[in-house]
Amino acid sequence: MNLPRSIAQKLDSIDTIATLPNIATEILEIMRKETSSMREIARVIEQDPSITAKILKVANSPLWGYSGRVENIQRALVLMGLKQVSNIVIAISLYSTFAKLKPNPFFDRKKFWLHSVGTAQIARKLSKQLKVNFYGEEFVAGLLHDLGKMLLDQFWGEEFKKLIEQARAESNRILVKERQEFGCTHAEIGAYLLQKWNFPKPIVNVVHFHHTPSRANADQELIGLISLSEMLCELWGVGFDEDIKSTSLSNNWSWKLFKSRFPEQLRNFDVERFLFEMEKEMENAQLFIELVKD
Amino acid sequence: MDVLNIQDEFSNKTLKLSEESFLELKEFVYQQSGILLSDRQKVLLETRLSGRLKTLGLENFSDYVKNLKSPEFYHKEKAFLFEAITISESSFFRDANQIRVLQEIVLPELFENAIQQQASQVRILSAGCAAGEEPYTLAMVIKEKFSSYTSRIPVHIIGVDINSTNLEKARKGVYHEYSMKNIPQEYLQKYWTRDGYHRVLNDEIREMVEFKQLNLLHLNKDSSMSRFDLILCCNVLLYLERQAKVQVVQNLYDALNLPGYLFIGQSESLHGITQAFKLYLFQRAIAYKKE
Ligand SMILES: C[S@@+](CC[C@H](N)C(=O)[O-])C[C@H]1O[C@@H](n2cnc3c(N)ncnc32)[C@H](O)[C@@H]1O
């Protein structure tokens, strides 16, 4: 990731984001190993009672639909799978970390989270319908795709605010403005931090390329999934300053990718119905936020 | 009278629609009409259809849904069912998202296009226009927001419907207030006058729309029904059997210019009916584009 030096230096020097929450670091470490054991992961999660409680709440909620059947972490790992649970743990721990940061008044935090979790939910539903398993990576990736925006708001608040106002006044794309003002975009800033935190490469790539999926040369399916989900969230769920007003699916890069990779699934895919049911996903996003907040 | 019956009295004799029956009904309605019921409509259906079930002598929704699956029953029941889903009646400014998208994106694009191509006019069709609520809404929006274009290129709006009573009413331009609750205040002041409980649409808007009686199944037989830049066919296709729907959609496609847009009703879908169009997604609105 090539960030302008001043930007990278500033990100490196900030204590609150210097390290990940412990639990996330440990989980990521275990997941990097060739073989990660269920017992190991369960032990790490159970050390954190608050996260444990949240995981069980989420697993038993309509979100994951194991109503009442998940009474402990071991059970969650068996029912849902190691990777899936690990990714939810990471998602939740990051959510709580960032939820503690104080936003600037102009930054609509509620909307930001609805957009992020909404994108994550839509990505989940999309991967389910396409029958492509991303093992929960789609949820973390969706949740984090706009991380850079929060960082810009946190640490470059004044400049970021001005930039957004200018972009609106000039009806310019915020992305273009970001590049002009900062020499990089929120996508690169978010990816930089995740890389520093040793996040799996696919997640870093999603965050890096979610606005420019055609430039990625790895993890295209996951990137395409999130890029598409974000767009759907912008248009039919909750938008967050991405100035997307319309799109033709058949010209959309991610859509075309899916059409070539999963022709069978796409042929019968009912786009209209998916959109009509998106309201449900936004309700689910709201529910997730309720369940994991402190 | 036992306790249960007394409770029934209190709950106004509303029958409960079980989750299972609702899902079954939702699937059925979607397959038949392309309309997707939302979960919120469950309670609405309970209140609206309970009386109907009683009239039919049915004791529960599960029987009702079972009956719907017989084609003869469905054919007779359709009107009641759709009325309960509130898609049968028309109103002005019915779908705010659609109107916003038309106003902000589609109409400007069509006007620019037409001017650039030196077209003689911009042509709009409201297919299944009921008593004119939809084409008049467009006329008002165009009058209000697009005068800088209409001074350079004329707009021709045509409303067609199969029902002549509807069209008579449309031509008169006199409406009861209940179909008008979504009309923005500034439009009401500018384009309407009051006459007791009714409101009368001004001539300048009425003159913008031409009405014609026509069955959409035969749209292709009328050569004047062609070269449209925009067609709205909202809450009409749901009444048609699959084959008729395919035919009407084909007719609409053929009646469009290249490029041209087709809009259908909120939560209506053409999935599985046509592949001819390109799907465009806007903010909470869908369009099918011929391009
Ligand atoms: C529910 S209304 C919709 C009115 C308006 N488009 C709206 O969305 O508010 C349906 C209209 O379609 C008309 N219609 C139904 N089948 C038709 C057909 N085959 N050809 C023309 N009009 C038809 C009906 O007469 C009725 O006025």
Side-chain angles (χ1 to χ4, degrees), chain A residues 56-72:
Chain A
L56 297 181
K57 267 199 266 177
V58 170
N60 287 308
S61 75
L63 285 169
W64 259 267
Y66 294 98
S67 67
R69 282 185 287 156
V70 186
E71 29 342 298
N72 55 45

Side-chain angles (χ1 to χ4, degrees), chain A residues 237 247 270 272-273 279, chain B residues 27 30 40 278 281 284 288:
Chain A
T247 187
D270 188 342
E272 288 96 323
R273 183 163 184 168
E279 202 176 307
Chain B
E27 223 35 67
Y30 189 65
R40 264 178 290 121
K278 285 205 168 157
L281 312 186
R284 291 179 192 246
Y288 298 87

Side-chain angles (χ1 to χ4, degrees), chain A residues 199-255:
Chain A
F199 260 72
K201 194 73 185 155
I203 310 237
V204 176
N205 279 340
V206 167
V207 177
H208 190 174
F209 294 109
H210 72 278
H211 283 295
T212 49
S214 62
R215 294 206 198 139
N217 42 30
D219 306 308
Q220 290 176 322
E221 286 166 13
L222 186 60
I223 296 168
L225 182 82
I226 299 302
S227 171
L228 195 60
S229 303
E230 158 158 58
M231 194 190 69
L232 296 179
C233 193
E234 272 296 309
L235 291 173
W236 281 71
V238 171
F240 198 78
D241 286 333
E242 303 283 352
D243 13 62
I244 301 171
K245 292 257 182 319
S246 76
T247 187
S248 136
L249 274 188
S250 47
N251 300 332
N252 179 284
W253 185 89
S254 309
W255 189 254

Side-chain angles (χ1 to χ4, degrees), chain A residues 83-271:
Chain A
K83 275 200 160 174
Q84 180 73 257
V85 175
S86 304
N87 277 314
I88 306 172
V89 172
I90 294 168
I92 292 180
S93 79
L94 282 172
Y95 179 87
S96 337
T97 311
F98 289 118
K100 285 185 200 112
L101 300 179
K102 278 254 172 301
N104 284 308
F106 91 101
F107 189 85
D108 188 339
R109 176 60 69 86
K110 238 178 146 167
K111 208 166 153 194
F112 176 82
W113 283 120
L114 262 180
H115 173 69
S116 301
V117 183
T119 301
Q121 265 304 119
I122 294 162
R124 260 188 67 198
K125 174 150 187 206
L126 208 50
S127 78
K128 246 192 247 166
Q129 293 215 345
L130 296 176
K131 302 192 183 67
V132 185
N133 196 346
F134 293 101
Y135 301 101
E137 274 182 347
E138 77 283 6
F139 194 71
V140 195
L143 189 78
L144 293 176
H145 74 277
D146 268 346
L147 172 66
K149 282 199 179 164
M150 178 140 52
L151 298 172
L152 281 173
D153 166 63
Q154 279 292 308
F155 308 117
W156 288 270
E158 272 308 305
E159 293 100 312
F160 191 45
K161 175 172 175 231
K162 232 189 270 151
L163 175 155
I164 290 178
E165 281 163 0
Q166 274 175 6
R168 279 194 194 129
E170 301 164 12
S171 42
N172 208 337
R173 291 211 58 182
I174 288 178
L175 221 53
V176 175
K177 273 286 183 203
E178 286 176 355
R179 170 99 43 223
Q180 276 173 16
E181 290 296 314
F182 294 105
C184 58
T185 68
H186 71 273
E188 289 152 10
I189 291 181
Y192 176 85
L193 189 64
L194 291 175
Q195 190 173 44
K196 197 175 116 174
W197 282 344
N198 276 323
F199 260 72
K201 194 73 185 155
I203 310 237
V204 176
N205 279 340
V206 167
V207 177
H208 190 174
F209 294 109
H210 72 278
H211 283 295
T212 49
S214 62
R215 294 206 198 139
N217 42 30
D219 306 308
Q220 290 176 322
E221 286 166 13
L222 186 60
I223 296 168
L225 182 82
I226 299 302
S227 171
L228 195 60
S229 303
E230 158 158 58
M231 194 190 69
L232 296 179
C233 193
E234 272 296 309
L235 291 173
W236 281 71
V238 171
F240 198 78
D241 286 333
E242 303 283 352
D243 13 62
I244 301 171
K245 292 257 182 319
S246 76
T247 187
S248 136
L249 274 188
S250 47
N251 300 332
N252 179 284
W253 185 89
S254 309
W255 189 254
K256 284 195 279 194
L257 176 83
F258 285 148
K259 274 207 134 157
S260 69
R261 301 257 169 109
F262 315 113
E264 229 14 76
Q265 290 98 307
L266 263 277
R267 191 161 311 133
N268 298 319
F269 188 73
D270 188 342
V271 181

Side-chain angles (χ1 to χ4, degrees), chain B residues 215-221 237 240-255 273-274:
Chain B
N215 185 341
L216 292 172
L217 268 167
H218 307 136
L219 192 75
N220 52 346
K221 311 228 161 69
L237 297 167
L240 307 176
E241 311 293 336
R242 196 191 137 78
Q243 220 177 348
K245 202 182 293 188
V246 170
Q247 178 65 54
V248 167
V249 172
Q250 181 65 46
N251 290 349
L252 296 176
Y253 183 86
D254 293 339
I273 298 296
T274 174

Side-chain angles (χ1 to χ4, degrees), chain B residues 87-88 90 94 128 130 134 161-162 166 214-216 234-236:
Chain B
I87 36 190
S88 55
S90 193
R94 183 172 194 170
E134 182 178 277
D161 203 283
I162 198 168
N166 273 346
L214 201 139
N215 185 341
L216 292 172
C234 304
N235 309 303
V236 178

